[in-house]
Amino acid sequence: MSWIPFKIGQPKKQIVPKTVERDFEREYGKLQQLEEQTKRLQKDMKKSTDADLAMSKSAVKISLDLLSNPLCEQDQDFLNMVTALDTAMKRMDAFNQEKVNQIQKTVIEPLKKFGSVFPSLNMAVKRREQALQDYRRLQAKVEKYEEKEKTGPVLAKLHQAREELRPVRDDFEAKNKQLLDEMPRFYNSRLDYFQPSFESLIRAQAPALRPSTAVPPGGGACCGAWHPGAHHRRPPPAPTPGRVLLGNAQDLRRPDPAACAARPS
């Protein structure tokens, strides 16, 4: 990230310790990987919910096509069976719609909010890199005058170069310290931020994976996706975004997992 192919105009003095630079590159690399994983997870979740809805809509269409079959007019038992299937498919479709809405609010939207932090983070890193280049350029300028014969004009230019260097050095050090403090904290906050979302995802999927032999009130065949009362629970609320000092970035406040537990309606 800070590799420089040409050393022209670069200072002889090591202005940033190699250990500090390695720490910075390591922490930023972890966040770059996290950004890519967040984008991929958001995309995959959207594909999954779209496929879920398409499947249940197709099942409803199949049951409606069967109901329009002339055989239903000739065989009452067949009509009763297809009617029960149609009721079950419509229930499954309604359940899937409710599940997808829950996943959208408690998983996909939080993923989107989490991902919105990274553009501001990347911009802060670019500002830090620009400040480092300015620092190196002015440090090299100071060193150039320090190596020259100490005449009146040279001393005047040296003094001016040092005055130019001071605020640039302070600006870089402030940006560097802020990012080194904020990046690990932001990276570590991901667990507390996403835990309620993944708990909600599991709860949303659980009824569909829990087989039921009970016939729901009002008739209808069991389709394995309906479980009495299982899907009538409020989902955990989506994590709440807050503020962070990553140069105007929006950080993500750590939610209280206890407050995100599902409660009976």
Side-chain angles (χ1 to χ4, degrees), residues 38-195:
T38 301
K39 289 179 180 178
R40 187 163 59 247
L41 181 57
Q42 182 182 349
K43 184 178 179 180
D44 289 345
M45 285 302 306
K46 184 65 169 62
K47 286 182 178 179
S48 174
T49 53
D50 288 347
D52 241 0
L53 287 177
M55 181 273 295
S56 61
K57 297 296 183 187
S58 296
V60 170
K61 185 178 185 304
I62 290 172
S63 66
L64 290 174
D65 289 344
L66 287 173
L67 278 174
S68 64
N69 191 300
L71 187 59
C72 288
E73 300 176 2
Q74 304 168 13
D75 189 332
Q76 185 61 41
D77 290 340
F78 183 71
L79 175 61
N80 292 341
M81 183 177 63
V82 173
T83 301
L85 175 65
D86 182 61
T87 301
M89 293 302 99
K90 287 177 178 176
R91 285 181 180 273
M92 183 180 69
D93 184 47
F95 167 78
N96 269 350
Q97 185 62 61
E98 180 182 350
K99 180 182 67 174
V100 166
N101 290 341
Q102 177 179 334
I103 292 173
Q104 177 68 33
K105 291 177 181 178
T106 60
V107 181
I108 296 178
E109 289 180 8
L111 278 169
K112 185 177 180 180
K113 290 176 182 177
F114 193 86
S116 69
V117 174
F118 292 103
S120 296
L121 167 66
N122 294 332
M123 184 57 65
V125 171
K126 287 182 180 179
R127 287 195 295 265
R128 181 255 189 197
E129 188 65 21
Q130 183 59 53
L132 176 58
Q133 296 305 319
D134 292 342
Y135 182 11
R136 283 175 169 152
R137 176 177 55 81
L138 291 174
Q139 178 64 36
K141 185 177 179 181
V142 168
E143 291 176 1
K144 182 183 71 173
Y145 288 125
E146 286 176 340
E147 293 171 356
K148 288 187 176 183
E149 184 180 353
K150 300 301 186 292
T151 63
V154 170
L155 290 174
K157 290 180 179 179
L158 175 61
H159 176 73
Q160 182 180 357
R162 285 172 174 169
E163 290 298 311
E164 292 176 358
L165 174 64
R166 187 179 298 110
V168 172
R169 180 184 61 226
D170 293 345
D171 179 55
F172 166 75
E173 290 177 351
K175 286 181 169 62
N176 188 59
K177 183 179 184 304
Q178 183 181 32
L179 282 168
L180 284 174
D181 289 343
E182 293 286 353
M183 288 193 298
R185 187 156 61 246
F186 173 59
Y187 182 78
N188 292 332
S189 73
R190 74 199 188 284
L191 300 178
D192 290 321
Y193 181 81
F194 282 120
Q195 181 177 346

Side-chain angles (χ1 to χ4, degrees), residues 185-229:
R185 187 156 61 246
F186 173 59
Y187 182 78
N188 292 332
S189 73
R190 74 199 188 284
L191 300 178
D192 290 321
Y193 181 81
F194 282 120
Q195 181 177 346
S197 293
F198 293 142
E199 288 177 355
S200 176
L201 178 61
I202 293 171
R203 291 192 181 99
Q205 300 283 356
L209 302 176
R210 186 185 299 125
S212 173
T213 56
V215 177
C222 171
C223 63
W226 187 90
H227 191 79

